[in-house]
Amino acid sequence: MPTDDPSAAPLWRPYTQMKHAAPPLEAVRTHGSRIVLADGRALVDGIASWWTAVHGYNHPHIAAAVSEQLGTMPHVMFGGLTHAPAERLARRLAGLLPGDLNHVFFTDSGSVAVEVALKMAVQLWLNRGEAGRTRILAFRGGYHGDTVGAMSVCDPEEGMHRRFGAFLPSQLFSDLPRTEAEAATLDGILARHRTELAAVIVEPLVQGAGGMRMHPPEVLATIARLARRHGLPLIVDEIFTGFGRTGTLFACEQAGIVPDILCLSKALTGGTMALAATIATGEVFSAFWSDDPGAALMHGPTFMANPLACAAADASLDLFAREPRLEQARAIGTRLAEGFEPLRGRPGIADIRTLGAIGVVQFAEPPDLATLKARLVERGVWVRPFGDVVYLTPALTIGRDDLDHLIESVVSVSTGVASHRAI
Ligand code: PLP
């Protein structure tokens, strides 16, 4: 039960008003697409643990790779040392990414991968002798993480960090260029602010935590073209979209673009360990390649390139190579689209949309999220609705019965919640 005694809450939970929050469910075990609770119930996970567990939980191939690494070298500092798991993973990632995104900097969370990308962009200009380029152009509706630099490029008005405006670096914001007029506006902003801008940052094809808003590949291609026209590096944040979520291994493939800097995390280790990567092209990297020690990238998290996490990621890439994950993602998308279709046009439902293995139901008005979630838990479903959306991003390996159960539950509970609100 919620309590009036703050001292009764030693564990501070994410995105949670601790005073009023119901106690969280206690998870004791996971397997496949299931989260088993302490009271014995098993929930079908509709969101793959914040979009990480693409192969389902406890995949034996990843578990075996991590166990083996655990017995050899769980961790060693990366300053001045290297190790095979990191070397191998960096080479494999470079081989999978488009163009010459070949220079991999490992960190331990998505937000920090974004921090490193922003820092790389600013320092790239410092190293080239242009000290005034310290601002980033980002898009309204975007979300890039919870650390200071990452917060500064999230949507400044609608985003969860909007109260921090006075504390954050001042960035520039634009609407996504969905129309020619919006592209012309973006072009104008980039032209006017060119000498103070260090980079453009975007979530490709879908703005995730900002509202699960999707855009076609042409919009991404327009952003890449305009960034290039103004000589600005493009940072593509694939932390949500990377590793099959949009139906291709990386979302930027669908627009045929090669960003200058790309961020990965979440599904990188198949949801097993914390790991992230900021990956730069040869051109970006060469701005740091210098006789001047001051031109080096001054960043180095203690746990960067953790060998256990690199081993997990390497094993996850094996699974992408040998199992039909992208076909599975597309098949999930087809099923999500069919399954959500009956909701289209229903009272209280503003939109339904899908992309790859992402299915979204958007309500006309924000529903009572606690009730929505509780009803889904009663049906044995784990999701995390926010704002005015409930969405599914299951493991790409989810079985047909579990997927159908997720879809039917979301459709049924959403219909109830939406029609109640629409009365
Ligand atoms: N970038 C995007 C697109 C994200 O969706 C997220 C997390 O949801 C982040 C960055 C931040 O990642 P992390 O939560 O690992 O810091």
Side-chain angles (χ1 to χ4, degrees), residues 51 109-111 114 143-145 203 237 239-240 265-266:
W51 325 328
S109 78
S111 300
V114 169
Y143 172 81
H144 297 281
E203 290 164 272
D237 177 350
I239 287 165
F240 172 30
S265 188
K266 296 222 180 254

Side-chain angles (χ1 to χ4, degrees), residues 309-325:
C310 290
D314 195 45
S316 174
L317 293 185
D318 292 342
L319 296 174
F320 275 101
R322 69 162 92 122
E323 295 182 8
R325 287 292 174 273

Side-chain angles (χ1 to χ4, degrees), residues 118 121-122 124-125 133-136 194 196-200 232-233:
L118 302 179
V122 170
L124 170 112
W125 293 105
R133 289 179 176 264
T134 54
R135 300 181 80 188
I136 307 292
R194 187 188 177 130
E196 51 176 335
L197 277 171
V200 173
L232 290 167

